[in-house]
């Protein structure tokens, strides 16, 4: 028996609900698109109001398409849930900007159009970036930009501790640096191990850097990564509040000037320039050397399925406006994202050389839903962040925590 579209939506909604990402308050509520030249647009940026550069750019793209664009902003998790419910009720927005891991869930629910069916060209987008929104060989949106993780470091703290950042090449050298920093009276490293998608996002570079596979959470490689984090917390190289830290609060700790390192993202570059101390950026090291694979963050501009297919022509114009090379540069500058195309990346680095290591990091990044995981990822991510919490709090050993995570993921 083939499941109905309503059944698929119900299953998808149950899958998506646990996938918690960056926090933020909800914006104005959305409504179904209406006649009379009004189109609806949803995005996950409640921090940007109508007067912001982003808000103005969205409105301008509506004007360029000859319509009024009614924008609603929600936090990442709320947006995905509302999208599924709206589609179930037959009033999905015309255009929607969604976090890349959510794309596969929405596709499985049958509520997104293929970009090829709309005539949208994604050939210039980097393969690993478009890959996060590609299912069974078909892309279901156009990435507006990408971000990922690296290690920010405080030059003054490292210098006082006698640590050369160029010496950070693997886990052993990083741990040795943290030991020196603590001995010099400063603090080691901040990161987010919170029990949401942010915790999984931050753990993945270490998990993948050990050679871990998301289909085998309790492998020796996965255990090695979680053991590393636990050793840091137990030794006082990382604060115990990593269990509650979001990426924002973790950054606030680093901004005090007391910490040597912060695992954080491209989006903090503006804050780094305001921190009041000299900083640098290095790639997160793999266990035995080299750069660890890091997860691809960022959003896709998508076109949900509509009963009135004549609306797609205008929706296509809106997507094209938001993702054109001419608009990607100012948009990604506003969002502190790395552009998804090499041409715009080159322009970004020319204007801001500090983006150079981030462009390299994004080029080597992995999609969280890649490798055929798709909608399985949320059922893996939640047990994984739960395991991190259990191990760092001391309620379970890394081995036992990940064994329980694997058992839970297998039932997902």
């Amino acid at each position: 028996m083939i499941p109905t579209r309503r059944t698929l939506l119900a299953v998808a909604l149950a899958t998506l609900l646990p996938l918690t990402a960056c926090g933020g308050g909800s914006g104005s509520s959305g409504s179904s698109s209406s006649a009379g030249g009004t189109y609806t647009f949803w995005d996950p940026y409640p921090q940007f109001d109508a007067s912001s550069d982003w808000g103005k750019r969205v409105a301008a793209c509506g004007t360029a398409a000859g319509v009024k664009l009614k924008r609603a902003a929600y936090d990442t998790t709320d947006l995905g849930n509302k999208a599924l419910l709206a589609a179930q009720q037959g009033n999905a927005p015309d255009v929607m900007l969604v976090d890349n891991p959510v794309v596969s869930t929405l596709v499985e629910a049958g509520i997104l159009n293929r970009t090829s069916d709309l005539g949208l060209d994604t050939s210039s987008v980097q393969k690993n970036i478009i890959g996060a929104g590609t299912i069974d060989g078909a892309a279901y949106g156009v990435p507006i930009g990408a971000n990922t993780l690296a290690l920010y470091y405080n030059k003054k703290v490292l210098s006082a501790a006698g640590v050369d950042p160029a010496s950070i090449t693997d886990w052993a050298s990083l741990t040795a640096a943290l030991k020196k920093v603590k001995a010099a009276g400063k603090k080691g490293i901040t990161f987010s191990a919170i029990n949401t998608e942010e915790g999984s996002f931050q753990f993945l570079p270490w998990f993948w850097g050990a050679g871990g596979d998301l289909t085998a959470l309790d492998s020796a490689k996965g255990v090695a990564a979680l053991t590393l984090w636990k050793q840091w917390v137990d030794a006082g190289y990382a604060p115990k509040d990593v269990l509650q830290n979001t990426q924002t609060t973790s950054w606030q700790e680093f901004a005090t000037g007391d910490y040597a390192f912060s695992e954080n993202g491209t989006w903090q570059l503006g804050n780094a320039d305001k921190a009041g101390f000299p900083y640098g950026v290095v790639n997160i090291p793999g266990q035995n050397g080299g750069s660890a694979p890091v997860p691809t963050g960022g959003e896709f501009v998508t076109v949900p399925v509509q009963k009135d297919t004549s609306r797609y022509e205008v929706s296509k114009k809106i997507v094209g406006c938001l993702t054109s090379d001419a608009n990607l540069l100012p948009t990604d500058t506003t969002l502190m994202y790395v552009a998804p195309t090499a041409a715009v990346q080159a322009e970004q680095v020319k204007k801001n050389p500090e983006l150079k290591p981030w462009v390299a990091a994004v080029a080597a990044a992995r999609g969280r839903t890649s490798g055929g995981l798709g909608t399985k990822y949320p059922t893996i991510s939640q047990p994984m962040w739960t395991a991190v919490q259990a191990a760092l709090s001391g309620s379970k050993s890394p081995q036992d925590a990940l064994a329980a995570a694997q058992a839970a993921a297998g039932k997902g």
Side-chain angles (χ1 to χ4, degrees):
M1 176 180 177
I2 299 175
T4 65
R5 185 163 175 266
R6 183 174 291 273
T7 301
L8 284 172
L9 281 165
V11 171
L13 182 57
T15 300
L16 184 60
L17 281 170
L19 185 59
T20 306
C22 299
S26 297
S28 59
S29 60
S31 62
S32 61
S33 52
S34 59
T38 299
Y39 278 61
T40 49
F41 177 83
W42 291 2
D43 68 46
Y45 307 142
Q47 69 271 35
F48 297 131
D49 62 20
S51 66
S52 67
D53 288 345
W54 170 249
K56 291 176 182 177
R57 188 155 294 115
V58 171
C61 282
T63 301
V67 298
K68 178 182 178 182
L69 203 51
K70 184 178 181 181
R71 174 183 173 239
Y74 306 96
D75 69 59
T76 300
T77 302
D78 200 21
L79 176 64
N81 294 335
K82 286 183 183 297
L84 288 165
L85 289 172
Q88 194 171 26
Q89 296 162 359
N91 62 350
D94 291 286
V95 180
M96 184 165 56
L97 191 61
V98 298
D99 194 22
N100 68 60
V102 177
V103 173
S104 60
T105 299
L106 300 180
V107 169
E108 186 176 81
I111 66 173
L112 293 185
N113 282 290
R114 293 186 183 91
T115 52
S116 58
D117 291 344
L118 297 168
L120 291 165
D121 182 15
T122 57
S123 60
S124 64
V125 178
Q126 285 183 188
K127 288 184 178 180
N128 66 322
I129 296 178
I130 193 69
T134 301
I135 294 87
D136 295 331
Y140 285 83
V142 182
I144 201 164
N147 55 54
T148 195
L149 297 166
L151 293 180
Y152 289 86
Y153 63 87
N154 184 319
K155 291 183 178 181
K156 286 185 176 180
V157 171
L158 290 191
S159 178
V163 174
D164 180 356
S167 69
I168 309 299
T169 57
D170 55 18
W171 290 2
S173 56
L174 177 55
T175 301
L178 295 175
K179 184 177 182 180
K180 288 183 178 180
V181 167
K182 185 181 179 185
K186 290 293 187 178
K187 299 176 181 179
I189 185 169
T190 74
F191 52 87
S192 170
I194 195 170
N195 57 337
T196 70
E197 179 59 21
E198 287 188 59
S200 290
F201 190 72
Q202 292 239 318
F203 182 60
L204 278 173
W206 311 96
F207 182 84
W208 282 337
D213 184 330
L214 286 172
T215 63
L217 294 175
D218 59 346
S219 70
K221 295 174 180 178
V223 172
L226 188 48
T227 299
L228 177 74
W229 270 18
K230 179 166 175 54
Q231 288 174 341
W232 287 351
V233 172
D234 288 350
Y237 301 156
K240 294 184 184 299
D241 64 12
V242 295
L243 287 165
Q244 293 83 40
N245 267 347
T246 64
Q247 293 178 115
T248 298
T249 56
S250 171
W251 179 263
Q252 289 167 350
E253 288 182 331
F254 180 66
T256 63
D258 292 331
Y259 282 84
F261 298 95
S262 170
E263 180 185 355
N264 228 297
T266 327
W267 56 89
Q268 299 291 7
L269 273 174
N271 290 326
D273 290 335
K274 300 173 185 176
F277 53 80
Y279 73 93
V281 178
V282 295
N283 289 343
I284 296 172
Q287 181 178 17
N288 299 313
S291 297
V294 285
T296 305
E299 289 81 34
F300 276 62
V301 190
T302 65
V303 177
V305 172
Q306 302 290 341
K307 291 179 181 179
D308 180 3
T309 58
S310 67
R311 299 183 71 82
Y312 295 154
E313 191 59 33
V314 169
S315 295
K316 174 184 172 181
K317 291 179 181 178
I318 294 167
V319 175
C321 177
L322 289 169
T323 59
S324 68
D325 280 1
N327 283 344
L328 276 176
L329 182 59
T331 293
D332 288 333
T333 299
T334 296
L335 300 174
M336 282 297 174
Y337 279 9
V338 172
T341 66
V344 181
Q345 287 174 2
E347 291 184 61
Q348 286 183 295
V349 172
K350 185 177 180 180
K351 289 180 176 291
N352 183 3
E354 292 175 352
L355 282 173
K356 188 173 182 179
W358 293 102
V359 168
V362 165
R366 294 182 186 176
R368 284 164 279 175
T369 58
S370 298
L373 285 182
T375 55
K376 295 178 183 177
Y377 175 73
T379 66
I380 295 170
S381 179
Q382 185 174 20
M384 182 166 64
W385 81 54
T386 301
V388 170
Q389 287 265 310
L392 299 191
S393 67
S395 65
K396 290 182 181 178
S397 68
Q399 175 69 63
D400 290 344
L402 287 171
Q406 183 59 35
K411 297 176 182 177

